[in-house]
Amino acid sequence: LLEGAAAISVYAFVCLLPFAFSSWLFGMLARIVGPRLGVTRVIKKNLALALPEMSEEKRHALIPRIWENIGRVAGELPHIQHLS
């Protein structure tokens, strides 16, 4: 119940933000927090499987960008209904 209330509150807050700012804010938050999460191990493993020819350094450099993209999508989703 508390998680649902928190999710609805965040959703409502994001709806109040301008689209571009919401996208940027969530992108930056995800870029900072995401690489520190345990699920990043899955991203590393999947990148190694999908891009074996790419050096580990280059794959590692992609991780913050991947998280930023995920964050941007999360920040943009609440605005979808308002864009059409």
Side-chain angles (χ1 to χ4, degrees):
L1 188 61
L2 289 175
E3 288 175 350
I8 290 170
S9 297
V10 170
Y11 182 88
F13 172 73
V14 172
C15 286
L16 296 174
L17 298 173
F19 177 82
F21 180 72
S22 175
S23 177
W24 174 85
L25 177 64
F26 276 73
M28 287 302 101
L29 289 173
R31 188 180 187 108
I32 293 166
V33 175
R36 293 168 171 79
L37 299 176
V39 72
T40 299
R41 288 189 306 269
V42 176
I43 294 173
K44 289 178 184 178
K45 187 184 298 185
N46 287 342
L47 284 174
L49 290 171
L51 304 168
E53 71 285 350
M54 185 181 283
S55 72
E56 187 174 346
E57 287 178 348
K58 287 185 178 182
R59 289 193 308 258
H60 185 73
L62 287 176
I63 292 172
R65 295 175 64 196
I66 291 168
W67 276 110
E68 181 177 354
N69 187 59
I70 292 168
R72 283 184 173 274
V73 170
E76 293 169 2
L77 278 174
H79 293 277
I80 287 177
Q81 65 186 3
H82 304 292
L83 295 177
S84 55

